[in-house]
């Protein structure tokens, strides 16, 4: 089974980005940063999600992100599926923070249960087939709308969503050009998927 050890965000200012992610989310090696001046505009075609256990944790992480310089794209609120909100980091990366629970069960914490990489794709069937052929078995699938892959315990999870639908979900225009400014670090790369998302082997990025 393919696993995703980490993702690398390509940013203008790695020092500032590292400071933001440490302060806002307390993220470790699963989210890395490196310098890049690759041209990019608008929606970059992906989001990262932090899955937590209760609404109070969503509020704690979203509040910490805003305090550290993030912009709120969607204030945290209840929905049919749970509770969540969306922020955009100073480097441009869009983060969803969500819980499937609508009720708190204890004091707020900033403990993160899962990190999910959600790629916006043009051809769901083609992208699903591509990733299955690269060793990622399907864990859940909802037709042409959403596919989630099994990536192993402790791994960053991977899911696919239609690009326009993903942009709508997080409250931004789907328009965007240039680099995704993202590299996925797994054990089956290197390759580039049909939508231009680059994968590298984990060993290539171990020193970042």
């Amino acid at each position: 089974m393919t696993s995703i050890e980490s993702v690398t965000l390509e940013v203008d200012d790695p020092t500032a980005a590292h400071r933001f992610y440490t302060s806002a989310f307390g993220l470790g090696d699963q989210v890395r940063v490196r310098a890049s001046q690759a041209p990019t505009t608008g929606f970059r075609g992906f989001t990262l999600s932090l899955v937590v256990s209760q609404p109070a944790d969503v509020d704690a992480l979203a509040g910490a992100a805003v305090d550290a310089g993030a912009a709120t794209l969607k204030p945290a609120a209840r929905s049919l599926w749970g509770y969540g909100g969306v922020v955009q980091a100073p480097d441009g990366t869009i983060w969803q923070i969500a819980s499937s629970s609508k009720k708190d069960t204890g004091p707020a914490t900033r403990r993160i249960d899962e990190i999910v990489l959600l790629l916006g794709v043009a051809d769901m069937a083609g992208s699903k087939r591509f990733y299955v052929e690269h060793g990622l078995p399907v864990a859940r699938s909802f037709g042409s709308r959403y596919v989630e892959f099994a990536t192993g315990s402790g791994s960053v999870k991977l899911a696919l969503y239609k690009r326009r639908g993903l942009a709508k979900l997080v409250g931004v225009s789907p328009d965007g050009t240039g680099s995704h400014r993202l590299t996925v670090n797994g054990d089956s790369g290197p390759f580039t998927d049909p939508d231009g998302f680059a994968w590298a082997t984990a060993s290539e990025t171990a020193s970042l």
Side-chain angles (χ1 to χ4, degrees), residues 140-203:
R140 290 192 298 168
S141 180
F142 298 94
S144 63
R145 296 185 60 191
Y146 177 84
V147 175
E148 182 180 303
F149 298 97
T151 52
S153 177
S155 177
V156 176
K157 287 195 169 183
L158 176 69
L160 308 179
Y161 210 98
K162 292 286 285 186
R163 180 186 170 100
R164 295 188 68 86
L166 180 58
K168 182 178 180 181
L169 182 67
V170 296
V172 299
S173 166
D175 298 330
T177 61
S179 174
H180 294 298
R181 288 206 177 184
L182 172 76
T183 300
V184 186
N185 309 311
D187 56 11
S188 66
F191 59 80
T192 300
D193 82 357
D195 294 279
F197 290 100
W199 284 59
T201 58
S203 60

Side-chain angles (χ1 to χ4, degrees), residues 2 126-138 147 149 160:
T2 294
S127 292
K128 176 181 177 181
R129 182 170 57 252
F130 176 89
Y131 278 109
V132 168
E133 291 172 351
H134 280 76
L136 284 94
V138 174
V147 175
F149 298 97
L160 308 179

Side-chain angles (χ1 to χ4, degrees), residues 18 21-31 48 50 95 112 115:
H18 183 269
Y21 288 116
T22 301
S23 176
F25 302 143
L27 294 175
D29 289 341
Q30 286 183 304
V31 177
L48 284 160
L50 303 177
W95 292 82
I112 297 166
I115 300 175

